[in-house]
Amino acid sequence: MFVQVSEADFSQQTLYDQLLAQCDKPAGAIVTFTGLVRDFNAQGPIDGLELEHYPGMTENALLQLVEQAVSRFSLANAAAVHRIGRLANHDQIVWVGCAATHRHHAFEGACFIMDTLKQAVPLWKKEYQHGAAQWVEPKASDDQAAMAWLKKIQ
Amino acid sequence: MFVQVSEADFSQQTLYDQLLAQCDKPAGAIVTFTGLVRDFNAQGPIDGLELEHYPGMTENALLQLVEQAVSRFSLANAAAVHRIGRLANHDQIVWVGCAATHRHHAFEGACFIMDTLKQAVPLWKKEYQHGAAQWVEPKASDDQAAMAWLKKIQ
Amino acid sequence: MITVKTFAQVRELSGCGQLQVPFEAGLDVASLILRLQQQSPAWHDALEGTVLCAVNQTLCDSSALLNENDEVAFFPPVTGG
Amino acid sequence: MITVKTFAQVRELSGCGQLQVPFEAGLDVASLILRLQQQSPAWHDALEGTVLCAVNQTLCDSSALLNENDEVAFFPPVTGG
């Protein structure tokens, strides 16, 4: 298991290889999720964003989610990477990888980490638009997705 | 959209980049699935496998699934790659990638392609064990997973 | 003529990966199977049990009517992925 | 002493990213919020509405009791991912 919180960009191949190399049992299925900076919001085109975070807690919260995913879905490994600081449109912003024996566990693990990350990891987006920057409001659909995992029988 | 059926190994980074470059609308979420050759079956350790396919129909069937996924889940792009021929334990065997505006669509698209691929694409695995090779039996759980997509309201 | 192709267990059991059979009006998949099964015990065994059929590379059931120059494939349930 | 940290809108509205406040026995998150809000209109506004709280980097509700040297953070609902 590993987490990274950094201003630096990341490589798909490097993260995939690292996830696979550190599996604690043979993995037959690997699911990755990558999030990119969108170039628009409800008000129109945006010009990138800035990500603030809570140093220390961000890493701990990500690691907790990754550990929960591994135990809840019997994963062979899981990892989460999040960038912070100033990002341009279409930049990579978040990466999650899950390795498992069974493919549905790998899908569920990655989906679980993304859904809960959006509610439990101290990161905040500020979008640049028309020269000004505005904090992003949380989406109700994200709250509902995270809540759904709490309701499912473990 | 693209599909590949080949004996050659594939690169995570190359396929990811190709998927993203060919998106027909901005994508904020990319999900990839990779399947690896397992090193065991119910009878014990295996020594790789051989994949037979129906040349022509394999490519067409994969492309149909990819097209269905794009239209059913409003994807920005989707792709599927499958290897054939002799593969060693832990080799990469299948890759599916889906790009979408919304992350749950990307997850569903990749899961749909994998579930239906296991029922509708003419590929057959033969596992090597103790010097002999044996055809793999379809799993009932794979049938159920594919059937579930038929039942869901589109 | 109809081109018949076989794959995996069906190919191994029949001992034949591809053959041509004469087309006749009204021929459907079911009667093609019957005709092949009468040809030899090997073909009989190869087409017993759960065998899928594709006509011109599209999955069909055994009531599908055939046309001159069709490609008909027989194979077991698939196991890719 | 208690270390108070703020992030995002809470940091901008309060005008203060970090400060120390004296610890006293029985202090809980709710009374810390009250004490900060009485300090200035800026702090009052910063801690109004939906504000999350973490004590020693774990999310807590406002009834959580504090201890000497605790780190208490206030921030809006998160928007990463």
Side-chain angles (χ1 to χ4, degrees):
Chain A
M1 288 179 273
F2 62 92
V3 302
Q4 283 172 32
V5 178
S6 160
E7 294 195 9
D9 198 8
F10 51 80
S11 146
Q12 294 284 328
Q13 188 74 53
T14 304
L15 293 176
Y16 177 91
D17 291 344
Q18 192 176 344
L19 179 78
L20 207 56
Q22 299 176 356
C23 283
D24 60 7
K25 55 185 173 183
I30 298 97
V31 169
T32 72
F33 174 88
T34 307
L36 308 180
V37 178
R38 301 214 184 134
D39 53 12
F40 66 94
N41 65 15
Q43 279 73 53
I46 68 164
D47 182 24
L49 51 79
E50 177 110 26
L51 264 154
E52 182 169 335
H53 78 128
Y54 183 173
M57 183 173 167
T58 312
E59 292 84 346
N60 291 338
L62 278 177
L63 191 59
Q64 262 182 36
L65 294 186
V66 163
E67 287 171 347
Q68 280 175 31
V70 166
S71 115
R72 181 165 175 169
F73 303 104
S74 305
L75 303 180
N77 199 10
V81 173
H82 210 294
R83 291 177 71 192
I84 50 168
R86 187 77 168 91
L87 298 177
N89 289 356
H90 312 299
D91 273 359
Q92 301 188 118
I93 178 169
V94 58
W95 183 91
V96 165
C98 288
T101 308
H102 301 292
R103 75 180 180 284
H104 288 123
H105 290 170
F107 275 114
E108 287 182 305
C111 194
F112 166 84
I113 293 174
M114 280 308 301
D115 285 350
T116 49
L117 184 158
K118 283 172 177 276
Q119 209 178 48
V121 178
L123 289 153
W124 302 274
K125 282 184 191 138
K126 203 170 198 177
E127 288 173 344
Y128 286 84
Q129 195 161 39
H130 311 306
Q134 187 124 23
W135 292 105
V136 173
E137 292 294 321
K139 282 191 285 181
S141 62
D142 284 337
D143 281 358
Q144 284 157 12
M147 292 298 288
W149 289 106
L150 290 175
K151 285 188 201 136
K152 282 180 196 164
I153 290 155
Q154 307 228 355
Chain B
M1 286 180 276
F2 62 92
V3 301
Q4 283 172 32
V5 178
S6 160
E7 294 196 7
D9 198 6
F10 51 80
S11 145
Q12 294 284 329
Q13 188 73 54
T14 304
L15 293 176
Y16 178 90
D17 291 345
Q18 191 177 344
L19 180 77
L20 207 55
Q22 299 176 355
C23 283
D24 60 7
K25 56 184 172 184
I30 298 97
V31 169
T32 71
F33 175 88
T34 307
L36 308 180
V37 178
R38 301 215 184 133
D39 53 13
F40 65 94
N41 66 14
Q43 279 74 53
I46 68 164
D47 182 24
L49 51 78
E50 177 112 25
L51 264 154
E52 181 168 333
H53 78 129
Y54 182 173
M57 183 172 167
T58 312
E59 292 83 346
N60 291 337
L62 279 177
L63 191 59
Q64 262 183 35
L65 294 186
V66 162
E67 287 170 347
Q68 279 175 32
V70 166
S71 116
R72 181 165 175 166
F73 304 104
S74 306
L75 303 179
N77 199 9
V81 172
H82 209 295
R83 292 177 70 193
I84 50 168
R86 187 76 169 93
L87 298 178
N89 289 355
H90 313 298
D91 273 359
Q92 301 189 117
I93 179 169
V94 59
W95 183 91
V96 165
C98 288
T101 308
H102 301 290
R103 75 180 181 284
H104 289 124
H105 290 169
F107 275 114
E108 287 183 305
C111 194
F112 167 85
I113 292 174
M114 279 308 302
D115 285 350
T116 49
L117 183 158
K118 283 172 177 277
Q119 210 177 48
V121 179
L123 289 153
W124 302 274
K125 282 183 191 137
K126 202 171 196 176
E127 288 173 344
Y128 286 84
Q129 194 162 39
H130 311 306
Q134 186 126 24
W135 291 105
V136 172
E137 292 294 323
K139 281 191 285 181
S141 61
D142 284 337
D143 282 358
Q144 284 157 12
M147 292 298 288
W149 288 106
L150 290 175
K151 286 187 201 137
K152 281 178 198 165
I153 289 154
Q154 305 228 357
Chain C
M1 301 292 273
I2 302 281
T3 302
V4 175
K5 294 185 173 185
T6 62
F7 296 96
Q9 291 98 315
V10 181
R11 177 179 51 73
E12 288 186 345
L13 286 170
S14 69
C16 171
Q18 180 163 343
L19 82 163
Q20 306 276 323
V21 300
F23 171 73
E24 61 192 39
L27 187 71
D28 63 8
V29 170
S31 45
L32 176 62
I33 290 176
L34 215 63
R35 200 201 283 182
L36 288 166
Q37 286 196 303
Q38 285 165 350
Q39 198 169 303
S40 72
W43 270 108
H44 182 271
D45 293 353
L47 297 177
E48 279 297 290
T50 309
V51 172
L52 305 182
C53 175
V55 176
N56 300 326
Q57 308 194 349
T58 300
L59 285 170
C60 286
D61 63 33
S62 61
S63 64
L65 271 180
L66 299 176
N67 294 301
E68 178 68 293
N69 298 321
D70 275 353
E71 175 176 299
V72 182
F74 296 108
F75 45 77
V78 307
T79 56
Chain D
M1 300 293 273
I2 304 279
T3 302
V4 174
K5 294 185 172 184
T6 62
F7 296 96
Q9 291 97 315
V10 181
R11 178 180 51 72
E12 288 186 345
L13 286 170
S14 69
C16 171
Q18 181 164 342
L19 83 163
Q20 305 277 322
V21 301
F23 171 73
E24 62 193 39
L27 187 70
D28 63 7
V29 169
S31 45
L32 175 62
I33 290 175
L34 215 63
R35 201 200 283 183
L36 289 165
Q37 285 196 304
Q38 286 164 350
Q39 197 168 302
S40 71
W43 270 105
H44 182 271
D45 292 353
L47 297 177
E48 279 297 291
T50 309
V51 172
L52 305 182
C53 175
V55 177
N56 299 325
Q57 307 193 350
T58 300
L59 285 170
C60 286
D61 63 33
S62 61
S63 65
L65 271 178
L66 299 175
N67 294 299
E68 178 68 296
N69 298 320
D70 274 353
E71 176 177 299
V72 181
F74 296 108
F75 45 77
V78 306
T79 56

